[in-house]
Amino acid sequence: CRGSGSMMWRPRNETDADLARERAAGDIIASAWGVTTTKLSEALYGLDWAFFRQDDLVGWGEYKHRSKRYDTLLLSAAKWMSGKFYAEQSGKPFILFVEWPDGLHWLDTTPIKPVIRLGGNHRGQNGDLEPVVHIPTDAFKKFAHMQIMC
């Protein structure tokens, strides 16, 4: 809560354009994979989506948009751990989606053991520097209409 103790309020960095890109990616995934893409409360889940077929959970997802592709994708360790926790507890995959300039890509995180380092940016906001996972971008597959969730 703002101004209480050492905790400082951190503004959300998502813009309306970010949310529109996320919705568009979710629509593509839903159509191609025959799932319902359900937007989750970030405060409760720490993830963007849960995927359902009928009313059955088939997976968890996180979407990122990056304007440039580097050798590794940085993702908050907290977000990574949330996804891995829900995947482990439910027995359903945690899929990471990244939209780079050349299109939408995905990664089933099940076999990935990422490197965790201090990272982030230097905007001067509380929480800018934090533990982040480094995921090799060559591990991602370009999105195609393929069924990966059972």
Side-chain angles (χ1 to χ4, degrees), residues 81-140:
M81 290 180 188
S82 288
K84 296 299 270 186
F85 172 80
Y86 287 112
E88 180 181 307
Q89 294 300 308
S90 66
K92 305 299 179 185
F94 168 43
I95 309 295
L96 185 55
F97 297 90
V98 183
E99 191 169 353
W100 283 297
D102 68 334
L104 185 62
H105 297 75
W106 64 273
L107 174 69
D108 179 348
T109 66
T110 303
I112 304 298
K113 302 289 185 222
V115 172
I116 300 176
R117 294 190 176 119
L118 181 64
N121 59 55
H122 300 279
R123 293 174 297 208
Q125 296 175 357
N126 180 34
D128 277 353
L129 293 176
E130 62 179 322
V132 296
V133 297
H134 290 247
I135 305 164
T137 56
D138 62 3
F140 285 80

Side-chain angles (χ1 to χ4, degrees), residues 33-50:
W33 289 349
V35 297
T36 300
T37 305
T38 303
K39 177 73 173 159
L40 298 174
S41 164
E42 184 177 354
L44 292 176
Y45 292 91
L47 295 176
D48 289 324
W49 299 314

Side-chain angles (χ1 to χ4, degrees), residues 49-64:
W49 299 314
F51 301 112
F52 292 89
R53 227 180 248 116
Q54 307 296 323
D55 290 329
D56 297 325
L57 177 73
V58 294
W60 306 92
E62 176 65 18
Y63 169 82
K64 294 295 177 193

